[in-house]
Amino acid sequence: MGYYISIEEDVKIYVEDLNPGCNNVILFLHGWPGSHELFEYQFNQLPKLGFRCIGLDQRGFGKSDKPYSGYDYDRLSDDVRAVIEVLQLKNITLVGHSTGGAIAVRYMARHRGYGVSKLVLCAAAAPSLIQRPYFPYGIKREDVENIINGTYTDRPAMLQNFGNMFFYQYITEGLSKWFFRLGLQAASWSTAAVAKTWLGEEKLFDDMCEIKVPTLILHGIHDKVCLFSLGKALNQGIRNSKLIPFEFSGHGLFYDEQDKFNKELVEFIK
């Protein structure tokens, strides 16, 4: 079932809550520029196995409200805290994909892992999406600048180009259109604002050192968005973490190798 949670006076977050009677909870944080619907192929299967799957649409994306501001990692992680508190969730597994993974890392540091017993980072945009003088493993700064410029000048073309590099294995025309539609659901200002966050000082090197819970890192070796080297850096920086490479996946590993993704997730949680 779906419902809205008020996190600020004028901001409501949309939440999809499947199998709400179950105590084995997985909270999914989607990547840019999608919504909770990106995890459709997990929601199809995991509730059958006894898991309560909760997917929230971050502010500015999907069905959530789209304020003009509030898109830094601190505010987005505070939104996650609000959802966890309102739903009174405990001992959950927090799953973050791409930018959702970066938000999850900030949440674990900023809120000291409140309510979370296990963490899963898949193709996470952390500890830094872009290359920096002391971190040469991300994508080039100008690649993100092109995304921002494209958002302001021709957002549909930008989204189409991004979709073309999201998956590694062949996808149908229908799935390509589906992914494109998810991107269009977001507001253009929130789409650009989160991309600008990648360019700023929102780096997560210190944050990942604060993670205390068992952590599973899933990363496609063909990822063109969050390069596989980011997964290696997270594995080195997070104590009690395990990195599992996905040999036939790009950025959309939850679809490219969905059976393996679901299997590794279930085995980690049990």
Side-chain angles (χ1 to χ4, degrees):
M1 64 180 175
Y3 47 81
Y4 285 88
I5 292 176
S6 180
I7 55 173
E8 290 184 308
E9 184 177 353
D10 298 319
V11 180
K12 293 182 176 63
I13 293 292
Y14 179 79
V15 172
E16 192 72 36
D17 193 347
L18 303 174
N19 205 13
C22 180
N23 292 325
N24 206 344
V25 182
I26 310 174
L27 177 60
F28 292 84
L29 305 181
H30 66 81
W32 178 99
S35 72
H36 76 277
E37 293 184 54
L38 282 173
F39 296 107
E40 175 176 330
Y41 296 94
Q42 285 63 60
F43 295 164
N44 284 343
Q45 303 298 328
L46 299 181
K48 299 177 185 177
L49 302 177
F51 295 98
R52 178 182 180 185
C53 295
I54 302 174
L56 65 85
D57 287 349
Q58 295 157 22
R59 63 169 64 205
F61 297 84
K63 298 178 182 178
S64 287
D65 287 347
K66 299 170 175 62
Y68 208 71
S69 61
Y71 297 101
D72 60 278
Y73 288 161
D74 282 354
R75 178 64 258 182
L76 294 170
S77 71
D78 291 350
D79 291 350
V80 175
R81 172 68 181 256
V83 169
I84 290 175
E85 287 187 341
V86 169
L87 297 181
Q88 299 181 348
L89 303 177
K90 299 178 181 179
N91 297 319
I92 68 173
T93 297
L94 183 62
V95 177
H97 171 254
S98 193
T99 300
I103 296 167
V105 171
R106 174 57 52 85
Y107 177 85
M108 297 301 293
R110 181 173 172 83
H111 296 283
R112 298 183 181 277
Y114 177 85
V116 177
S117 60
K118 291 185 177 181
L119 176 66
V120 179
L121 301 173
C122 40
S128 172
L129 177 67
I130 65 168
Q131 296 175 4
R132 300 178 186 272
Y134 49 85
F135 187 74
Y137 305 113
I139 61 176
K140 295 180 179 179
R141 184 182 184 90
E142 51 264 37
D143 292 335
V144 175
E145 291 173 341
N146 289 337
I147 286 175
I148 296 170
N149 292 334
T151 300
Y152 286 134
T153 57
D154 190 343
R155 187 163 67 108
M158 181 279 294
L159 290 172
Q160 190 69 62
N161 291 334
F162 184 75
N164 290 339
M165 63 186 295
F166 193 90
F167 301 98
Y168 173 65
Q169 300 195 45
Y170 169 78
I171 60 171
T172 63
E173 180 181 356
L175 186 70
S176 178
K177 290 180 178 178
W178 169 80
F179 182 81
F180 179 68
R181 175 184 64 81
L182 296 186
L184 285 178
Q185 287 180 344
S188 58
W189 55 87
S190 54
T191 301
V194 171
K196 290 177 182 177
T197 296
W198 302 332
L199 294 179
E201 293 305 309
E202 288 281 24
K203 45 192 184 294
L204 300 158
F205 297 95
D206 292 337
D207 298 68
M208 65 179 177
C209 297
E210 297 297 319
I211 296 174
K212 312 295 185 183
V213 302
T215 302
L216 179 66
I217 302 166
L218 308 176
H219 215 111
I221 66 173
H222 303 285
D223 197 328
K224 297 179 180 178
V225 181
C226 297
L227 305 183
F228 184 67
S229 54
L230 299 190
K232 291 181 177 179
L234 286 169
N235 185 214
Q236 293 174 357
I238 299 176
R239 296 187 297 273
N240 196 19
S241 67
K242 179 180 180 181
L243 170 63
I244 297 181
F246 277 56
E247 297 181 3
F248 305 103
S249 289
H251 196 52
L253 69 169
F254 46 77
Y255 178 81
D256 283 333
E257 294 183 80
Q258 58 184 271
D259 289 341
K260 178 178 179 178
F261 185 95
N262 292 347
K263 178 177 178 291
E264 296 292 354
L265 183 58
V266 169
E267 289 185 354
F268 175 66
I269 297 173
K270 286 183 174 180

